[in-house]
Amino acid sequence: MASSSQTLFAPLRTLKRTSPIPLPARSPSSWIPVTNRSILSSPPPNHSIQAIGATHCSKRFSCLKTKASTSANMATEKKKVQVFDSEEALSVSLAKYTADLSEKFVKQKGSFTVVVSGGSLIKSLRKLVEAPYIDSIDWAKWHMFWVDERVVPKDHPDSNYLLAFDGFLSKVPIPPGNVYAINDALSAEGAAEDYETCIKHLVHNGIIATSETTGIPKFDVMLLGMGPDGHVASLFPGHPLLEEKNKWVTFIKESPKPPPERITFTFPVINASANIALVVAGAGKAHPVHVSLGNGQHSEVLPVQMVSPEGDLTWFLDKDAASKL
């Protein structure tokens, strides 16, 4: 991949820490420490489940016809569960959801902070790079982050950055300075500290909002996948990092899923989000979905069950992932 490295590494920003960190008059390189405060996950609220089939409303725009499912009928503004006939229909709805949030936050505050995961999530964002969204979204206002990353070079097949670059970033005009990748020249611990410093810069400069109740960074939306074991980000079942309350970004060196070294947002940051979309497709993930949303049983609390944002949580499921509900 050496021949294409110039193209590959263009759309990202990494911050290298120096001591002391300079505070020039012109941002964005200035920062001040923001107090980390713990946040306790609240019990999951009741939720409603919708079965959704895709239909076309016009030649230009796609929309969805929605009907209430008999699976549940407990309405709440905090959690919504949508079940789609196919992953294709799911991706259509996810694009509209993301585009609508982008328009809302750009109008409100002039920027849109987006956190993505790796895995199949990037594939599910593919409709955003097509009409009408590729032309209608104000990409210059986007600021993009990763909820977790593998501590590997950015051109490594395991890199979440590379996955996002190939499937999304290379196809949309997000400014290079608005894409925040980890510094892969550092150790796992150093990369986690550096990424938290990056977030503190952006909090200080007003790009990232903060929770009014905790002071923790409040991203506009997190678009998250889930593993077959119910893990989210690089927060795995039974791991001590599930209980981390002070750090915003931490590291793991013994991930049960390779590669072993990773950085990850912690639950206080995840749950401070204004919006979270949990995007889950495939029968292989039906069990943790059943545990989280139905009456499925598991020996311990799954990480995905700990996702409980201050704002709104929307589940995007295809019918295979929802097959046990």
Side-chain angles (χ1 to χ4, degrees):
M1 298 183 64
S3 62
S4 60
S5 60
Q6 183 175 0
T7 302
L8 172 63
F9 292 107
L12 69 133
R13 172 187 292 177
T14 56
L15 291 180
K16 296 183 179 180
R17 296 185 67 179
T18 59
S19 181
I21 296 176
L23 297 173
R26 190 177 73 87
S27 296
S29 58
S30 60
W31 75 284
I32 55 174
V34 178
T35 302
N36 292 335
R37 303 169 186 161
S38 63
I39 176 172
L40 299 177
S41 299
S42 57
N46 292 335
H47 55 270
S48 61
I49 299 178
Q50 297 176 321
I52 299 178
T55 182
H56 293 286
C57 295
S58 69
K59 292 183 179 179
R60 185 177 179 189
F61 294 95
S62 296
C63 67
L64 297 172
K65 180 190 294 183
T66 305
K67 62 180 181 180
S69 168
T70 57
S71 301
N73 190 24
M74 297 175 289
T76 175
E77 294 182 358
K78 288 293 184 181
K79 180 185 287 188
K80 180 167 63 174
V81 180
Q82 297 182 339
V83 180
F84 299 87
D85 290 337
S86 65
E87 193 278 334
E88 175 74 8
L90 181 157
S91 67
V92 170
S93 182
L94 182 63
K96 185 179 187 305
Y97 166 90
T98 307
D100 287 348
L101 287 177
S102 175
E103 182 179 11
K104 170 187 172 181
F105 282 102
V106 169
K107 286 181 178 179
Q108 284 182 356
K109 61 188 186 69
S111 64
F112 184 45
T113 54
V114 184
V115 179
V116 298
S117 63
S120 59
L121 182 277
I122 298 300
K123 178 185 176 184
S124 295
L125 296 179
R126 64 188 181 275
K127 297 299 180 182
L128 285 172
V129 306
E130 301 175 3
Y133 306 116
I134 188 64
D135 298 317
S136 62
I137 288 176
D138 191 350
W139 298 106
K141 302 298 194 299
W142 277 46
H143 293 260
M144 187 164 165
F145 306 80
W146 279 261
V147 73
D148 70 327
E149 177 59 287
R150 292 86 180 269
V151 184
V152 296
K154 293 182 182 67
D155 59 354
H156 191 282
D158 288 332
S159 167
N160 282 342
Y161 169 79
L162 178 62
L163 179 68
F165 179 86
D166 288 343
F168 183 69
L169 286 173
S170 61
K171 303 174 183 180
V172 295
I174 299 176
N178 290 5
V179 179
Y180 304 89
I182 72 165
N183 186 339
D184 58 5
L186 302 176
S187 66
E189 183 175 8
E193 291 178 355
D194 185 71
Y195 211 56
E196 184 164 319
T197 299
C198 171
I199 294 171
K200 288 175 178 176
H201 274 265
L202 297 168
V203 167
H204 175 57
N205 297 332
I207 299 299
I208 301 174
T210 55
S211 166
E212 294 181 359
T213 58
T214 67
I216 290 173
K218 185 171 187 173
F219 291 91
D220 297 332
V221 67
M222 290 198 184
L223 306 172
L224 306 181
M226 180 196 73
D229 61 352
H231 82 267
V232 292
S234 284
L235 299 168
F236 294 92
H239 197 279
L241 288 183
L242 297 180
E243 303 303 321
E244 174 60 55
K245 297 293 191 293
N246 296 314
K247 294 181 180 179
W248 296 352
V249 184
T250 191
F251 66 98
I252 180 172
K253 289 189 173 181
E254 69 288 345
S255 167
K257 179 181 178 182
E261 296 195 356
R262 301 158 175 246
I263 71 141
T264 183
F265 282 6
T266 59
F267 271 119
V269 175
I270 292 171
N271 286 334
S273 300
N275 298 274
I276 292 180
L278 274 169
V279 184
V280 185
K285 300 179 180 180
H287 173 67
V289 169
H290 189 208
V291 171
S292 298
L293 299 176
N295 57 3
Q297 300 297 315
H298 198 76
S299 59
E300 58 190 355
V301 174
L302 297 177
V304 70
Q305 293 177 274
M306 299 174 66
V307 176
S308 182
E310 291 183 11
D312 295 330
L313 171 61
T314 304
W315 287 73
F316 290 80
L317 306 172
D318 72 352
K319 62 182 181 181
D320 291 333
S323 60
K324 294 186 178 182
L325 294 179

